[in-house]
Amino acid sequence: MGTKRMNVRGIDIRQFETLYRENYSRMFRVAFDFLQDNEISRDVVSDVFAKIWQKREQMDPATLEGYLFLSVRNQCYNILRDRGFHDKYADYVKHFYDNIEVLMIDQTDERLAQLSRAMEKLPDKTRFVLQQCYFEEHTYREVAEMLDITTDGVKKHVVKAFSVLREFFNVKKKT
């Protein structure tokens, strides 16, 4: 019978320590070349060594250095892919909110211009009552005292103002 070659699997602590000592700084440089970040590069290399240690019983000593390099490279690719995705998403969100803000400002400016045009259609006293009650936040009683009229008179001006504004903005009154 011929000699059967055994497939030796697994590494012991001595082999792992040697692998770590001889390859850590080289693997760090590989990771850093990809990521350009010391801390993340250290994390990648440490994670790969931790996985090797966890799977030490299944590791083939003959292919260990190649596995180490491929694992570091793949981890870096994953980080770059995720970073690219997050960067693209962050750019999208920033662009979206910047444009929404501009759009909202434009819409607000337009609505204020429309409101100003609608207010011009109000009689002077009614416009004054509306401005005092809703823009200056005075109470009906305070406005009544300013104009020397009753609070019911103030309410009538407010009702009239809202009626004109609803008509101007083409809003139907809820019944």
Side-chain angles (χ1 to χ4, degrees):
M1 284 193 163
T3 337
K4 201 174 186 186
R5 187 164 181 231
M6 287 184 45
N7 186 7
V8 179
R9 288 216 170 256
I11 59 171
D12 60 25
I13 187 136
R14 194 180 85 263
Q15 290 169 308
F16 179 80
E17 287 174 346
T18 302
L19 179 75
Y20 185 86
R21 206 175 32 257
E22 291 177 359
N23 291 286
Y24 181 88
S25 58
R26 186 169 58 108
M27 290 300 106
F28 171 80
R29 284 191 306 276
V30 168
F32 186 80
D33 286 345
F34 279 104
L35 303 173
Q36 300 297 305
D37 185 297
N38 283 325
E39 189 173 332
I40 296 173
S41 297
R42 270 191 233 97
D43 289 345
V44 164
V45 174
S46 295
D47 287 348
V48 169
F49 275 108
K51 286 178 188 169
I52 289 173
W53 179 249
Q54 289 170 349
K55 297 179 178 183
R56 68 188 173 277
E57 293 173 359
Q58 294 89 36
M59 301 305 293
D60 182 354
T63 61
L64 207 47
E65 286 189 35
Y67 177 85
L68 179 62
F69 174 78
L70 289 175
S71 295
V72 167
R73 185 197 67 183
N74 290 342
Q75 284 279 76
C76 292
Y77 284 163
N78 289 342
I79 288 169
L80 291 173
R81 182 196 67 221
D82 291 346
R83 186 184 290 166
F85 170 78
H86 291 298
D87 289 348
K88 286 178 187 173
Y89 180 73
D91 289 345
Y92 168 77
V93 169
K94 182 182 180 317
H95 178 74
F96 176 78
Y97 281 107
D98 287 348
N99 287 336
I100 282 293
E101 188 175 300
V102 167
L103 183 61
M104 289 175 67
I105 289 169
D106 289 347
Q107 288 176 343
T108 301
D109 288 348
E110 178 58 30
R111 289 301 256 181
L112 288 173
Q114 288 176 332
L115 181 59
S116 180
R117 288 191 299 273
M119 294 280 288
E120 290 171 3
K121 297 194 175 290
L122 297 173
D124 291 341
K125 199 174 217 180
T126 303
R127 184 178 335 114
F128 179 81
V129 167
L130 191 66
Q131 287 172 331
Q132 293 304 308
C133 291
Y134 291 92
F135 298 114
E136 301 295 326
E137 299 180 2
H138 291 287
T139 64
Y140 284 11
R141 177 176 288 148
E142 291 170 336
V143 175
E145 289 173 4
M146 285 181 212
L147 295 174
D148 197 27
I149 60 174
T150 66
T151 54
D152 284 339
V154 171
K155 288 178 192 175
K156 287 179 185 175
H157 283 287
V158 169
V159 167
K160 182 177 184 177
F162 284 146
S163 175
V164 170
L165 292 175
R166 270 194 298 275
E167 186 178 313
F168 183 85
F169 288 107
N170 200 20
V171 176
K172 295 193 183 331
K173 187 176 178 183
K174 292 180 183 178
T175 53

